[in-house]
Amino acid sequence: MRRLAAACLLAAVAAMNQPRKNVKALTPREFEKQRRERSLATTKRAMAAEDLQDARAPGTLRLCVRAVFLCWAFLPATLTFWLAFFVGPFRRRLWYPLLTWCLGRAGACFVKWAQWSATRSDLFPVALCNSLAGLQAGAPAHSRRHTKKLVEDAVGCQIDDYFDSFERKPIASGSIAQVHRATRKGQVLAVKVRHPKVGTRLRLDVTLLAFGARCLEVFPPLRALRLSDTVAQFGDTLAQQSRLDHEAQELRGFRARFRRWGDVDFPRPTLETPSVLIESFLPGELVVGIAKRARNFDDLKQGLDRKTGAYLVTRGEDLYLKMLLEDKVMHADLHPGNLLYDGEILVSLSILWGLNIRQSRAISVVDAGMVSPLTHSESDRFVGLIEAIGAADHKAAAKNLRAFDPANAKNLSREQVRAFDDEVKLLFREKCRGYGTGVDFGDVVRGLLELVRKHRVRIGAQYATLVINALCLDGMAGDLLPGYSVLDGARPLLSAHRWFVSRGIPVLGPFVFRRLCLPVAWRLKGLYDAVAVRQFL
């Protein structure tokens, strides 16, 4: 043993006495880069530990405390509900802003519901939609101290050392994070910082909502809504959105998919952690502001603003259809609060044509946190439902609705299936005559959902989210371009999908649709939009 220890000691001394090889000295820039990388790795480990703590099942005491807080948060709106119910001026001027304030104070789950409701002026009063629209980019912000700590932990140094300038006041605040404008090396950046304790509060709220859903499902008429599954998927999607590093990955994917679309842009991430995302800053005006002006003043009926509304609706529909038909992904947060419009007047001088004045338009999607992939069966069944509405095919519509959940084949008797199909037939006879007949897409979809609830037909949570997205698009079209039919606008793409995918050869049909039919269908849709929009200008 002593001999072994002495041999080890001699080997160590010999190694120390050996001449060192030439080691390249690090430059100050390389040394600073390594230091920041080590700091960033430490920060990610700390944030991962925080996320792991948030993922733990909340205890009973914390749930009770959160429930008491929510009761306290909604107490002002609850106490004044009956006064608002009977007194219209009080409801419009005071109670709607009060309800909005309560929802913003309650947390991310309730803010997200408010953001969706703000796009549904066909379901809720216009005054309520205008009030809730403030939460799409103006949710309550957190403290500067919290922002400073997270950003400095992410970049590995002081804010003033990393950025040339950093605006302490956020330019926007959403349900999960708030955004600051900054500059670095002459480049304008958007710094997204997660709100404090978002993961913990989301877990608590989803647990409470799941408990409430299970209580409501005790009543047989409400079991078909599958509230528990919907709440579970809603919670999983929000939890994914709370990780800003996941959002950075989705942004890179969208930039790759839309790289050939010159007027559609997504932010380019430069640095991400679970709580901080630094990305390129995209100029423009939030579409929610344009939609709010349209609802209040109806100022999109003439001139350039009318053309702006037409562009936003048609291009927004293009975004939705590409994600659904080509990319097989679902953006569950594609509301006007996450869309930017940038209209720029360009002036050029030509020898032949003289002074040329035109407008450059672009639309940007600034949030990609709530994104999930779709299987081929999920995409085909939902697209099949929309195709059936366009073709006025009540049998295909009823069949696709029943296929939204495999359990319907076991739980529904023949009499229930026959009754459901008969009522879908009556609904189509009254409200849906197919393409080119002025079909109110939102009205037909809401009628189908009412029949689903009445006959206890189950629909999966993924399909429910797809339906909500379609209704959001229809609501935006109703605000910005009243009279435009989103169903007729999608006809070239839906018809091609119907003939080559839904009814085509299993392998050859989808290949022909993607390689040959899609380019032609996109051209035809552009021509239809150009002709249809002229009558509104």
Side-chain angles (χ1 to χ4, degrees):
M1 190 69 178
R2 292 180 181 178
R3 292 180 180 178
L4 180 60
C8 292
L9 180 59
L10 290 174
V13 172
M16 293 176 60
N17 292 332
Q18 286 182 358
R20 295 187 176 182
K21 296 181 180 180
N22 294 330
V23 180
K24 183 180 178 181
L26 295 177
T27 63
R29 179 177 297 180
E30 292 173 343
F31 178 79
E32 180 67 17
K33 182 180 179 181
Q34 288 187 3
R35 186 185 68 82
R36 290 177 181 175
E37 288 178 352
R38 290 193 298 268
S39 175
L40 182 59
T42 304
T43 302
K44 286 186 176 182
R45 286 195 295 269
M47 292 179 178
E50 176 188 349
D51 294 335
L52 182 62
Q53 182 180 2
D54 292 340
R56 293 183 304 177
T60 305
L61 179 60
R62 297 176 69 185
L63 287 173
C64 293
V65 172
R66 182 63 179 169
V68 171
F69 171 78
L70 291 177
C71 292
W72 175 258
F74 286 101
L75 184 62
T78 305
L79 294 178
T80 56
F81 172 76
W82 289 110
L83 180 62
F85 183 79
F86 290 105
V87 183
F90 173 80
R91 178 174 63 250
R92 291 187 296 270
R93 298 177 183 177
L94 296 178
W95 195 77
Y96 287 157
L98 179 63
L99 177 62
T100 303
W101 179 77
C102 294
L103 289 169
R105 193 173 61 159
C109 284
F110 304 93
V111 172
K112 190 58 64 180
W113 176 85
Q115 290 174 348
W116 171 79
S117 301
T119 65
R120 304 303 299 156
S121 58
D122 55 336
L123 295 180
F124 304 102
V126 173
L128 177 60
C129 292
N130 291 336
S131 180
L132 295 177
L135 293 177
Q136 291 184 332
H142 57 250
S143 65
R144 296 181 181 179
R145 182 179 179 182
H146 179 75
T147 297
K148 183 175 183 296
K149 180 182 182 302
L150 289 186
V151 173
E152 290 182 350
D153 289 344
V155 300
C157 60
Q158 297 292 323
I159 287 182
D160 296 334
D161 295 337
Y162 188 82
F163 297 102
D164 299 335
S165 65
F166 187 90
E167 296 183 7
R168 264 57 177 179
K169 184 178 181 181
I171 59 176
S173 180
S175 59
I176 301 296
Q178 64 187 38
V179 183
H180 297 260
R181 183 190 284 111
T183 58
R184 185 172 188 264
K185 297 181 180 180
Q187 181 184 6
V188 184
L189 300 172
V191 182
K192 186 176 291 188
V193 185
R194 189 169 66 175
H195 293 313
K197 299 182 180 179
V198 165
T200 302
R201 291 171 182 171
L202 281 176
R203 188 75 175 181
L204 291 170
D205 291 344
V206 170
T207 303
L208 292 173
L209 290 174
F211 175 75
R214 287 194 297 270
C215 293
L216 292 175
E217 286 178 345
V218 173
F219 302 98
L222 298 178
R223 291 177 186 172
L225 298 181
R226 303 196 66 179
L227 297 176
S228 297
D229 294 343
T230 303
V231 169
Q233 193 211 11
F234 179 70
D236 292 341
T237 307
L238 274 182
Q240 179 183 357
Q241 188 187 19
S242 66
R243 291 289 302 265
L244 299 184
D245 52 344
H246 291 172
E247 180 178 351
Q249 297 175 6
E250 297 295 343
L251 285 174
R252 293 188 179 96
F254 277 121
R255 287 179 62 86
R257 299 184 194 107
F258 285 87
R259 63 184 180 274
R260 297 182 180 178
W261 291 40
D263 62 335
V264 176
D265 199 4
F266 292 81
R268 179 176 57 85
T270 59
L271 186 148
E272 68 271 3
T273 70
S275 297
V276 175
L277 173 60
I278 302 177
E279 59 191 13
S280 58
F281 182 85
L282 300 178
E285 179 186 3
L286 285 174
V287 176
V288 62
I290 302 175
K292 185 176 181 180
R293 291 202 311 269
R295 287 194 297 263
N296 287 346
F297 307 108
D298 201 18
D299 65 348
L300 296 179
K301 285 189 175 180
Q302 51 184 318
L304 187 61
D305 284 337
R306 191 64 173 174
K307 295 180 181 179
T308 299
Y311 171 80
L312 289 173
V313 170
T314 56
R315 210 50 173 159
E317 185 180 28
D318 293 344
L319 281 171
Y320 180 80
L321 291 174
K322 184 182 186 312
M323 294 179 187
L324 182 63
L325 297 176
E326 292 189 43
D327 303 331
K328 307 292 184 183
V329 295
M330 178 187 66
H331 193 306
D333 205 18
L334 202 62
H335 59 75
N338 286 331
L339 299 177
L340 284 176
Y341 169 73
D342 183 23
E344 181 181 15
I345 302 297
L346 300 179
V347 180
S348 60
L349 185 61
S350 173
I351 297 177
L352 296 177
W353 304 104
L355 188 65
N356 182 24
I357 300 177
R358 61 187 180 88
Q359 185 174 32
S360 173
R361 302 178 185 273
I363 187 171
S364 305
V365 183
V366 296
D367 194 333
M370 298 179 66
V371 178
S372 60
L374 294 173
T375 64
H376 288 286
S377 60
E378 290 173 341
S379 176
D380 293 343
R381 288 168 184 169
F382 181 72
V383 174
L385 173 63
I386 304 178
E387 292 171 353
I389 295 175
D393 188 350
H394 62 88
K395 294 182 179 179
K399 180 181 178 180
N400 282 287
L401 281 172
R402 293 197 308 271
F404 279 4
D405 193 315
N408 289 323
K410 299 180 180 180
N411 298 335
L412 296 178
S413 63
R414 292 184 178 179
E415 291 75 13
Q416 289 176 314
V417 171
R418 189 180 301 108
F420 176 71
D421 292 353
D422 290 342
E423 293 219 29
V424 171
K425 181 179 179 180
L426 291 177
L427 175 68
F428 271 58
R429 184 179 300 173
E430 295 176 1
K431 299 182 178 181
C432 184
R433 298 297 181 91
Y435 296 118
T437 59
V439 175
D440 188 340
F441 177 76
D443 192 23
V444 174
V445 172
R446 288 191 295 274
L448 290 174
L449 292 179
E450 179 64 23
L451 294 180
V452 165
R453 183 198 61 81
K454 178 180 178 181
H455 294 274
R456 304 179 185 179
V457 178
R458 294 188 174 188
I459 59 176
Q462 194 86 325
Y463 296 104
T465 306
L466 287 169
V467 171
I468 291 175
N469 287 346
L471 291 177
C472 281
L473 175 64
D474 182 70
M476 186 175 73
D479 290 335
L480 296 175
L481 195 63
Y484 177 82
S485 173
V486 294
L487 187 65
D488 291 340
R491 181 176 184 176
L493 293 166
L494 294 177
S495 298
H497 187 277
R498 181 180 179 86
W499 287 107
F500 288 94
V501 178
S502 301
R503 295 182 175 181
I505 303 175
V507 178
L508 183 61
F511 176 81
V512 174
F513 171 73
R514 294 180 65 88
R515 297 295 182 182
L516 301 179
C517 296
L518 268 180
V520 178
W522 280 118
R523 297 278 182 145
L524 293 176
K525 183 184 185 305
L527 292 175
Y528 170 82
D529 290 340
V531 174
V533 166
R534 284 185 180 180
Q535 60 181 324
F536 302 111
L537 299 181

